Amino acid sequence: MKKLPTLTLSLLLALAAPTFVHAMDMTGSDEASTMAPTMTRAEVRKVDKSAQKITLKHEAIENLGMDGMTMVFHVKDAALLDKVKAGDQVRFTADKIKGAYTVLTIEPVKK
Ligand SMILES: [Cu+2]
């Protein structure tokens, strides 16, 4: 019975190791998005104020390494959604915050 504590500790370490490696991976992927957000052109497809979300058909986002596409973003501040509406041409910046693609700034582009 003397050996039991040692065995238990080994098991705990073995279980903890993969978790630790996973945490390191998460840190690594967050670092990839620490590049200063770049101004990107987009067309607003949908504004959802209650959910604090916006659907944008955006061009390539340099700081996120993302190609052009249509997708839903979270919005950092709900007040940003008062400045734009569906159909608007806009310029915006976005970053990955807590795993969610989030619009930091957005402004309409005058036609
Ligand atoms: Cu995208």
Side-chain angles (χ1 to χ4, degrees):
M1 288 303 277
K2 269 271 181 191
K3 274 197 160 181
L4 193 55
T6 311
L7 178 64
T8 305
L9 183 61
S10 302
L11 273 172
L12 281 174
L13 283 172
L15 288 170
T19 308
F20 180 65
V21 170
H22 184 61
M24 293 292 282
D25 282 347
M26 295 295 284
T27 305
S29 65
D30 272 355
E31 270 174 29
S33 68
T34 53
M35 195 193 293
T38 40
M39 198 67 96
T40 307
R41 291 287 299 259
E43 182 186 312
V44 178
R45 286 303 174 86
K46 190 181 164 192
V47 175
D48 187 342
K49 282 180 191 170
S50 58
Q52 208 169 318
K53 285 178 179 175
I54 189 167
T55 307
L56 297 175
K57 182 185 179 189
H58 67 77
E59 294 181 353
I61 305 176
E62 205 175 302
N63 59 297
L64 294 175
M66 189 186 283
D67 288 338
M69 69 181 81
T70 300
M71 64 182 278
V72 178
F73 288 88
H74 287 263
V75 179
K76 196 176 183 216
D77 181 352
L80 290 172
L81 297 179
D82 293 329
K83 304 201 286 178
V84 296
K85 61 184 187 305
D88 279 357
Q89 297 294 322
V90 298
R91 290 194 305 171
F92 74 106
T93 58
D95 206 349
K96 203 170 183 179
I97 297 177
K98 290 175 185 165
Y101 291 114
T102 305
V103 171
L104 307 177
T105 65
I106 190 165
E107 61 189 37
V109 175
K110 308 276 180 288
K111 277 173 224 172

